[in-house]
Amino acid sequence: STLGKGSRFSVTIVCQKYEGECETIVNRAVVVPKPLLIPSLVGKILLVEDTEVIQQLIIFNLQQTGAQVDLAVNGLEGLQKALKVQYDLVLMDIQMPVMDGKEAMKSLLQLGVSTPVYALTANVMPSDIQEYAAIGFTGALSKPLELEELFSILSQHLSVCDGKDYHEPQGTQLFIPDTNLRSLFY
């Protein structure tokens, strides 16, 4: 190719002409998803995550519960924050620069921190889950996060706010109001 000049591609797909109805589509049952219930919670969460887009997405969803969220961008920073502040829950990425989640978890335990810590990772094979448990993680949440599972974990470790268990999100709450942030996801 030549610098500053584009390329043009053309593709032709030969298909047979089809007329009529497709039975597999016509006879499919329509599945209506149940509305996501967001718990109303009080408590402090430490998110230890190095990827900015993932940080913003997780923080947005955590804040929907009303919980207070602090951020650390690597395991060492997460360790330092967990030693200074009493958190109700720590959500920790496994693969990070400076200090990874496994080393940070080992250090937390050696220093006597007993806060529940969940591994955040795409590596969720049974052998991985066993390794995280052996290190001392309370549990593991797979990436991408399933919000129903996340909210269930949060509800186990944080306090319910004002006797109100759950609320259904309003239509606008499902969208990120900040246009700069929204552009990262849509």
Side-chain angles (χ1 to χ4, degrees):
S1 75
T2 305
L3 183 63
K5 300 215 177 201
S7 300
R8 186 176 292 187
F9 298 91
S10 176
V11 176
T12 303
I13 300 174
V14 179
C15 300
Q16 291 181 335
K17 185 175 180 179
Y18 179 80
E19 290 183 21
E21 294 182 10
C22 179
E23 289 183 27
T24 58
I25 294 175
V26 172
N27 294 327
R28 275 195 176 160
V30 177
V31 178
V32 178
K34 63 181 180 180
L36 178 63
L37 299 176
I38 302 173
S40 295
L41 303 171
V42 175
K44 292 182 183 179
I45 302 168
L46 174 60
L47 173 63
V48 186
E49 170 63 56
D50 63 313
T51 306
E52 184 178 353
V53 171
I54 297 173
Q55 291 169 1
Q56 293 172 340
L57 183 58
I58 294 174
I59 288 170
F60 172 77
N61 285 295
L62 294 175
Q63 289 176 337
Q64 293 296 301
T65 69
Q68 179 185 341
V69 183
D70 285 342
L71 174 66
V73 296
N74 61 58
L76 180 59
E77 186 178 326
L79 175 63
Q80 292 168 341
K81 287 188 174 193
L83 290 172
K84 291 179 183 174
V85 177
Q86 179 63 45
Y87 293 99
D88 297 296
L89 183 65
V90 176
L91 302 174
M92 185 167 321
D93 186 20
I94 294 297
Q95 297 178 346
M96 295 179 286
V98 182
M99 178 186 281
D100 69 22
K102 293 176 192 177
E103 289 304 313
M105 183 70 226
K106 290 174 188 174
S107 297
L108 286 170
L109 292 173
Q110 288 174 351
L111 294 168
V113 176
S114 60
T115 304
V117 180
Y118 281 78
L120 296 177
T121 180
N123 300 323
V124 289
M125 297 294 291
S127 59
D128 297 318
I129 301 296
Q130 290 171 352
E131 179 186 8
Y132 306 143
I135 291 170
F137 284 93
T138 306
L141 292 166
S142 64
K143 287 181 184 177
L145 289 176
E146 294 182 22
L147 292 180
E148 194 169 327
E149 183 181 10
L150 174 64
F151 293 151
S152 174
I153 297 295
L154 295 177
S155 296
Q156 292 172 31
H157 298 284
L158 278 71
S159 300
V160 175
C161 178
D162 298 327
K164 186 177 178 185
D165 291 333
Y166 290 88
H167 65 275
E168 288 188 40
Q170 302 287 321
T172 56
Q173 288 178 316
L174 294 175
F175 299 99
I176 300 168
D178 181 323
T179 55
N180 293 328
L181 183 56
R182 186 172 49 237
S183 69
L184 296 172
F185 303 109
Y186 299 105

